[in-house]
Amino acid sequence: MSIEGKTRVLILSAPSGAGKSTLVNHLLSRGLPLEFSVSATSRKPRGGEKHGREYYFIAADEFRRRIEAGEFIEWEEVYRDHYYGTLKSEIVRITMAGMIPLFDVDVKGGLNLKKIFGSSALAIFIMPPSVEELKQRLIRRATDSEEKIAMRVEKACMEIELADRFDMVIVNDDLSRACNEIETVVSGFLRNE
Ligand code: ADP
Ligand code: 5GP
């Protein structure tokens, strides 16, 4: 089965801390025919994360072996020694179940997926109100060390410059407004066969 071409997909990308997971969870709670595409990663689980739910957690060596075997449609070394990627088998699993894959990927990965799926994909960039607010959200979220937060903020500045390559930019300032906006846009995309 070819997973490119006409397969309709939804891509959400954002700098870390912009509120992408929050908006993804909102969309997934709305009874739309969307299913979260579980990525593989070589980073360790955080907090209550479970293998097969947030990610497929695999060791870096195993990750590299599966890259060589051509099992990923896209992958990135998002942070040093931290690989993330989308398994082709995950897209087949979701589309075979009659659902539309929702990709929560970094900005480079989102643009790569948009290139692959073309007009069958809706690629949305979630924009933080400002870099300072993004930093504050990461500090408040309290899941990353000071060093990791600094790395994520630095990367965010480069990622924001790529926003206009996406089909649409949604500013996550007021959360309920951003939730309504994304739901409206995505519902429209899902209605258009
Ligand atoms: P990402 O998945 O992009 O890294 P999260 O969804 O984890 O970001 O959001 C980062 C933090 O900011 C979380 O603690 C979340 O609750 C909070 N957050 C999300 N959206 C908003 C918003 N509009 N205003 C204030 N805080 C927000
Ligand atoms: P986190 O470690 O916070 O879960 O994720 C770090 C970054 O990796 C986020 O921007 C997330 O969207 C991204 N990411 C997650 N899965 C994938 C994937 O399959 N491919 C790519 N390119 N990035 C991913």
Side-chain angles (χ1 to χ4, degrees), residues 109-120:
L111 290 173
N112 286 337
L113 287 169
K114 176 66 189 173
K115 227 181 263 165
I116 293 166
F117 290 97
S119 58
S120 304

Side-chain angles (χ1 to χ4, degrees), residues 4 12 24 47 57 65 80-81 87-88 91 103-104 121 128 134 138 141 146 152 161 171-172 174 185 188:
E4 289 142 33
L12 257 63
V24 163
F57 294 99
R65 189 194 64 70
R80 200 142 68 89
D81 289 333
L87 289 160
K88 294 176 184 170
I91 302 174
F103 298 115
D104 169 340
L134 178 95
L138 287 173
R141 190 171 73 180
E146 215 174 293
R152 282 169 192 249
E161 291 186 7
V171 180
N172 181 19
D174 175 71
V185 168

Side-chain angles (χ1 to χ4, degrees), residues 14 16 20 39-40 43 46 49 55 74-76 78-79 84-86 104-106 108-110 141 152:
S16 178
K20 177 161 45 78
S39 295
R43 81 151 164 77
R46 249 184 345 226
E49 288 179 337
Y55 286 106
E74 66 80 36
W75 62 272
E76 295 283 334
V78 175
Y79 305 105
Y84 293 80
T86 305
D104 169 340
V105 294
D106 84 326
K108 256 164 99 185
R141 190 171 73 180
R152 282 169 192 249

Side-chain angles (χ1 to χ4, degrees), residues 47-80:
E49 288 179 337
K50 264 181 66 182
H51 180 79
R53 189 177 63 190
E54 284 81 7
Y55 286 106
Y56 299 113
F57 294 99
I58 57 181
D61 283 354
E62 169 74 357
F63 202 111
R64 283 188 282 265
R65 189 194 64 70
R66 294 176 79 167
I67 292 170
E68 290 301 311
E71 292 185 27
F72 291 98
I73 190 164
E74 66 80 36
W75 62 272
E76 295 283 334
E77 193 174 359
V78 175
Y79 305 105
R80 200 142 68 89

Side-chain angles (χ1 to χ4, degrees), residues 14-22 133 137 140-141 172-175:
S16 178
K20 177 161 45 78
S21 308
T22 307
E133 170 62 16
R137 284 183 193 173
R140 282 198 299 267
R141 190 171 73 180
N172 181 19
D173 40 13
D174 175 71
L175 182 58

Side-chain angles (χ1 to χ4, degrees), residues 12-53:
L12 257 63
S13 296
S16 178
K20 177 161 45 78
S21 308
T22 307
L23 292 171
V24 163
N25 289 333
H26 173 72
L27 284 175
L28 292 174
S29 73
R30 304 305 291 166
L32 301 166
L34 291 170
E35 187 164 338
F36 184 70
S37 165
V38 179
S39 295
T41 183
S42 64
R43 81 151 164 77
K44 298 267 177 294
R46 249 184 345 226
E49 288 179 337
K50 264 181 66 182
H51 180 79
R53 189 177 63 190

Side-chain angles (χ1 to χ4, degrees), residues 12 25 144 155 159 176 180:
L12 257 63
N25 289 333
D144 298 285
K155 190 167 175 241
E159 291 174 327
S176 64
N180 287 337

